[in-house]
Structure formats: C-alpha cells, structure tokens
Amino acid sequence: MTNAKDVFLYKRKGAYIPRVAAVHDLCGYGKCSLGVAIPVLSAAGCDVCPVPTSLFSAHTRFPKWYMHDTTSMLDEYLDAWQEEGIELDAIYSGFLGAPEQVDAIKRMYGEYPGALRVVDPVMGDGGKAYPTYTPELCAAMGELVDGADLLTPNLTEAAILTGTEYQGQNVDDDFVRRTMDALLELGAKNVVLKGVVRGDGLIRNYVAGADVQMSEVSGELLPYMLHGTGDLYASSLLASVMAGQSLLEAVEFASTIVRHAMRITNQQPDFEVRGVSFETILGEVTALV
C-alpha cells in the first residue's frame, strides 16, 4: 500500500495553466459553490470554466431563497464547448439541481477522458439531505462515485452514498475504515472523508485510496458551523492537487485554509448565515504556485 504523501493526481508542467470545469450552482448572496470555487482555483493558477447547475438568489440557510434549475440549457452549453474545441484538465462537480444533470457530467467524462474527475457529492449535512435533494437526485449523484479520481463526502453524504444509517460525527477509526472501503468498492479511486468529531477539541478528516493506506489529518475544532466550508474545503483540496502537491499535502492544506477562513468569518457581521469569508487568505492559495 502507498502512503498518501507519495500520491500525486496531477503533475503541473512549467508555466502551463490547467483548465478546470467547475460544475456547481451559482449563488447570489451567501458565499458557497461557484462563488468559492472560481476565486480559489483561480488563485491557484487554474483557468476555471463554470458550468452552472442552478442559480440561487441566496443559499438555502436563508429563510427566503429562489432557485432556477439550468438543466434545460446544459446540452447546448456543452455543445458550444465542443464546437470551440475546448480542452479540460479536470472536471470538478458539486451541487446539482436535478437528476438529469448527472448525465451532463457523464457526457463531459466521455468527451474529456483524460480529465481528472473530482466529485464533491454535495447532498446534506448533520444527518439530513439539503431541501432541494430528492431521493432521485441522491441516487443519481451516487452514479458519479464509480470512476471518481477523488471523492470528498462528509459523513452524511457517505451514509447516503453507501445506503447506511447516519451514525453522527463521533465515529471510531474502524467505522471510518469500513465507510471508506465501501466507497472505494463503489468505484471511487481515492476518498477524503470529512468531519469526524470525538469531543476532544479536534476535527478529523481521512484520506484513503484503492492502493493508498488510510491517513488522518486533524486540526482544531472551532465552536461554530458555517455555510460554504465544504465548498471551500473541496476547492482548496483541488487547488493543491492542481498545483502539483501530493494527496496528503492537499488534505492538510484544505484543512488549514478552512480553519483560517473560519477564524476570519467569525469577525464579520451576520457570519452565521453570510458564508465563509476566504477573501483575505487567498494569498495562501496563490503561494501554492
């Protein structure tokens, strides 16, 4: 078995700027999804090509929000990319607006077979699916697990994907190992499982692969939750990978970035719903390249 510190998913070549398709929703207010992915990956020297899966007035933690499903436009959107001969180095998917959007992502996999497949299965948290996620959409999301070069679920999403009961965040290493093995058996090549909390003041994230031994990365658990931290984590993880860092370095980097951003967010008005404030730490991402 290989250690995650020796696994590299992307080799950066000289001054080349890799192109990443970010298949996420776009939120007008409340920092998350494309509002996080575009600046973070751009800071890491990536050319970010958005594929908007939904348009939101604000994220769903606000009491009032409007959602526009973009499914009907995706075929023509991707047709235009094909006509222009656009090339991609990575396909990074997150929040989806409808089950049919999985077909659009699968189409991209077929048209860009050499692109890194990064799946953040944004479906829920705290043991519950998000309001817009139907059982049909959750099932469709599961189809993206097979073949994912990097899968980044939290414990809720891992339970949904594996069809098991959510056990909370206080789970032991044996449970983590069984869960990651189940996700690898579904076809994921590498998995980062996020958010294990055991009451000792730490939050733990784990990384493992089909031929990669399980490693733990832990850090200080801050006493508040924020919207958008999952998007910041996955985007920072991919930023590190695309900068040529190892899988373990990427997990460590993403954990650090989220913690730094959360400390800054705590100083902002209405920070509980406003979303994670990452703007002033983008220099840490730029330093990757």
Side-chain angles (χ1 to χ4, degrees):
M1 296 288 281
T2 306
N3 191 292
K5 68 180 178 62
D6 298 317
V7 176
F8 297 85
L9 300 182
Y10 183 79
K11 184 177 181 180
R12 192 74 170 252
K13 297 179 181 178
Y16 176 72
I17 296 176
R19 185 170 288 168
V20 178
V23 191
H24 289 253
D25 66 292
L26 179 61
C27 191
Y29 187 75
K31 287 170 283 188
C32 58
S33 52
L34 285 175
V36 173
I38 294 172
V40 169
L41 288 166
S42 296
C46 295
D47 177 1
V48 188
C49 306
V51 181
T53 57
S54 306
L55 303 178
F56 280 85
S57 60
H59 64 62
T60 57
R61 191 167 176 180
F62 286 92
K64 177 66 177 179
W65 45 270
Y66 165 79
M67 173 188 173
H68 174 74
D69 180 355
T70 62
T71 302
S72 62
M73 73 170 219
L74 289 181
D75 275 342
E76 290 179 279
Y77 191 97
L78 296 176
D79 286 345
W81 281 19
Q82 282 297 297
E83 290 177 21
E84 291 295 333
I86 290 172
E87 297 294 335
L88 296 175
D89 297 283
I91 299 168
Y92 164 35
S93 63
F95 182 96
L96 302 184
E100 294 79 11
Q101 293 182 351
V102 169
D103 293 331
I105 297 172
K106 288 181 174 180
R107 169 184 170 173
M108 295 175 72
Y109 289 167
E111 292 172 345
Y112 306 100
L116 192 69
R117 301 181 185 183
V118 180
V119 179
D120 184 21
V122 181
M123 294 187 286
D125 204 357
K128 296 180 180 179
Y130 293 132
T132 59
Y133 265 74
T134 62
E136 293 77 16
L137 181 50
C138 289
M141 182 72 86
E143 297 176 23
L144 297 178
V145 175
D146 190 10
D149 292 296
L150 187 55
L151 180 72
T152 63
N154 60 30
L155 288 162
T156 297
E157 292 153 353
I160 294 172
L161 291 171
T162 58
T164 56
E165 185 177 351
Y166 175 68
Q167 299 293 323
Q169 291 181 269
N170 187 357
V171 292
D172 61 22
D173 281 0
D174 285 341
F175 178 88
V176 170
R177 188 173 288 104
R178 291 196 305 273
T179 299
M180 297 186 86
D181 284 346
L183 292 168
L184 293 169
E185 287 172 7
L186 290 173
K189 298 177 183 178
N190 299 283
V191 176
V192 175
L193 185 64
K194 305 174 295 184
V196 174
V197 175
R198 295 175 180 156
D200 57 359
L202 298 175
I203 184 167
R204 292 171 168 84
N205 300 316
Y206 292 82
V207 57
D211 298 305
V212 181
Q213 65 190 44
M214 189 174 81
S215 298
E216 173 191 314
V217 174
S218 62
E220 180 187 0
L221 175 65
L222 298 178
Y224 47 89
M225 298 290 289
L226 296 173
H227 197 90
T229 51
D231 296 325
L232 179 59
Y233 186 94
S235 298
S236 300
L237 182 73
L238 180 56
S240 179
V241 166
M242 300 307 290
Q245 291 198 319
S246 74
L247 188 53
L248 183 61
E249 287 173 320
V251 174
E252 292 171 340
F253 178 76
S255 301
T256 299
I257 284 290
V258 169
R259 190 161 56 252
H260 289 178
M262 288 183 70
R263 290 196 178 106
I264 292 169
T265 307
N266 190 35
Q267 303 172 47
Q268 311 308 315
D270 303 320
F271 75 90
E272 295 93 342
V273 294
R274 182 176 176 177
V276 62
S277 296
F278 59 87
E279 294 86 350
T280 58
I281 62 168
L282 285 175
E284 297 180 42
V285 183
T286 304
L288 289 170
V289 292

